[in-house]
Amino acid sequence: MSAIPEIRPGQSIELLKALHILTRDGKLNQDSRRKLKQVHHLCHFIEPLLAEIAASGSSLTLVDHGAGKSYLGFLLYDLFFSHRDQGHIYGVESRAELVEHARSLAGRLAFTRMSFLNLRVENAIESPDLPARVDIVTALHACDTATDDAIRFALHKQAKFIVLVPCCQAEVASVLRRRKGESLAQTPLSELWRHPIHTREFGSQLTNALRCLQLEAQGYQLTVTELVGWEHSLKNELIIARHTGVTRSNATTRLEQILQQLNLDELRARFIY
């Protein structure tokens, strides 16, 4: 098995087979290789954050929103949590069948400090099954508005770190599209999203820029980078937010100006608290 360079030393082969990353005979196909590389890259960014929190003596809690099949949670548990006697991972997922499957797999592997909750991300803040404060919030390709809901959850839970690979930035694009006529009459900047393909692409970039300003306004320091090569995933932007308590002084003002100038005032409540 060591001949497969994507598999890290000591990694659970049983887990990789259960996640269908490895075939029953221990092989790795091209699609699984891409998937494993992507999640391992994300683990590479998250593990130092976990080590920093563990060294501080914190109880070490991580909540993964829009967990899906919980690839990220299971691999993090296997690579980091299983070697320590502290820490807990919570997977939040709205599809009941995926939650049941994850619970069953965690039981079979004796991953005792993993919990899976059948919740929409937007409802997780009020759930009594989640702790009042958490250390790390992650959202890997969480769909619809789940990335924004994960940010709101993280802010409410005073997370030390937030790690996002944003997806489905359709809300901003839909407002740009709906109000395009008004915008064309108001500002030449509307040429940036006049054509449908540009509406989608500009909406996506704009959404992430607004999210970054939102986090900076709440006292987070940001790193925005690429997760893996673009040949592996088109949804490839990685946002890592570290809470410092120091707000960017003009972040809220910039947010308000952008929303006003681009005719997006109706989204104010999503990005400005």
Side-chain angles (χ1 to χ4, degrees), residues 60-134:
L60 192 55
T61 52
L62 182 147
V63 178
D64 182 29
H65 282 296
K69 296 180 180 178
S70 294
Y71 291 106
L72 176 61
F74 277 115
L75 290 177
L76 280 174
Y77 193 97
D78 184 41
L79 294 169
F80 189 91
F81 285 77
S82 65
H83 306 295
R84 292 163 173 79
D85 57 7
Q86 66 167 343
H88 200 104
I89 293 179
Y90 298 85
V92 175
E93 171 57 46
S94 62
R95 290 166 288 184
E97 68 278 9
L98 296 183
V99 172
E100 287 304 317
H101 181 269
R103 287 172 178 166
S104 174
L105 178 56
R108 179 151 52 100
L109 296 172
F111 285 7
T112 56
R113 287 173 285 120
M114 292 190 82
S115 300
F116 300 93
L117 307 177
N118 183 202
L119 289 171
R120 291 181 60 83
V121 179
E122 64 192 271
N123 302 129
I125 290 176
E126 306 301 330
S127 173
D129 296 318
L130 287 161
R133 296 188 66 171
V134 301

Side-chain angles (χ1 to χ4, degrees), residues 175 179 182-183 186 258-266:
V175 178
R179 306 192 70 174
E182 299 170 49
S183 298
Q186 291 173 3
I258 291 170
L259 293 173
Q260 191 274 325
Q261 290 180 23
L262 300 186
N263 214 10
L264 295 170
D265 289 306
E266 66 189 80

Side-chain angles (χ1 to χ4, degrees), residues 21-271:
I21 291 174
L22 288 179
T23 61
R24 289 182 180 179
D25 56 356
K27 298 292 174 56
L28 191 66
N29 63 36
Q30 194 59 36
D31 182 60
S32 294
R33 180 171 275 112
R34 283 194 299 270
K35 186 181 301 178
L36 185 60
K37 180 177 181 179
Q38 187 178 30
V39 180
H40 271 171
H41 257 75
L42 194 53
C43 290
H44 171 77
F45 286 105
I46 295 173
E47 286 176 277
L49 310 182
L50 290 168
E52 181 179 329
I53 292 167
S56 73
S58 172
S59 58
L60 192 55
T61 52
L62 182 147
V63 178
D64 182 29
H65 282 296
K69 296 180 180 178
S70 294
Y71 291 106
L72 176 61
F74 277 115
L75 290 177
L76 280 174
Y77 193 97
D78 184 41
L79 294 169
F80 189 91
F81 285 77
S82 65
H83 306 295
R84 292 163 173 79
D85 57 7
Q86 66 167 343
H88 200 104
I89 293 179
Y90 298 85
V92 175
E93 171 57 46
S94 62
R95 290 166 288 184
E97 68 278 9
L98 296 183
V99 172
E100 287 304 317
H101 181 269
R103 287 172 178 166
S104 174
L105 178 56
R108 179 151 52 100
L109 296 172
F111 285 7
T112 56
R113 287 173 285 120
M114 292 190 82
S115 300
F116 300 93
L117 307 177
N118 183 202
L119 289 171
R120 291 181 60 83
V121 179
E122 64 192 271
N123 302 129
I125 290 176
E126 306 301 330
S127 173
D129 296 318
L130 287 161
R133 296 188 66 171
V134 301
D135 294 303
I136 299 181
V137 172
T138 62
L140 173 61
H141 295 159
C143 289
D144 199 16
T145 60
T147 297
D148 299 298
D149 295 329
I151 291 173
R152 188 177 294 272
F153 173 92
L155 296 178
H156 183 83
K157 298 290 187 179
Q158 300 176 288
K160 297 181 179 72
F161 296 100
I162 308 170
V163 182
L164 308 170
V165 180
C167 185
C168 296
Q169 300 96 330
E171 187 178 29
V172 169
S174 68
V175 178
L176 289 172
R177 188 178 301 112
R178 177 160 44 82
R179 306 192 70 174
K180 190 177 295 184
E182 299 170 49
S183 298
L184 284 168
Q186 291 173 3
T187 173
L189 290 175
S190 59
E191 295 295 335
L192 294 173
W193 68 91
R194 179 163 62 91
H195 299 287
I197 188 172
H198 293 160
T199 305
R200 185 181 72 239
E201 293 174 354
F202 179 70
S204 176
Q205 183 174 0
L206 177 59
T207 302
N208 289 342
L210 292 171
R211 287 165 173 162
C212 289
L213 285 168
Q214 176 187 29
L215 289 167
E216 288 174 323
Q218 297 296 321
Y220 285 84
Q221 182 183 70
L222 299 190
T223 299
V224 183
T225 187
E226 180 178 277
L227 177 58
V228 290
W230 290 102
E231 70 275 13
H232 294 289
S233 174
L234 295 177
K235 299 293 185 180
N236 195 42
E237 187 170 335
L238 173 64
I239 300 172
I240 301 174
R242 171 192 291 267
H243 189 260
T244 64
V246 179
T247 62
R248 177 178 162 183
S249 60
N250 66 345
T252 300
T253 300
R254 287 297 176 102
L255 260 172
E256 291 175 335
Q257 290 172 335
I258 291 170
L259 293 173
Q260 191 274 325
Q261 290 180 23
L262 300 186
N263 214 10
L264 295 170
D265 289 306
E266 66 189 80
L267 296 178
R268 193 179 189 281
R270 179 165 293 282
F271 295 105

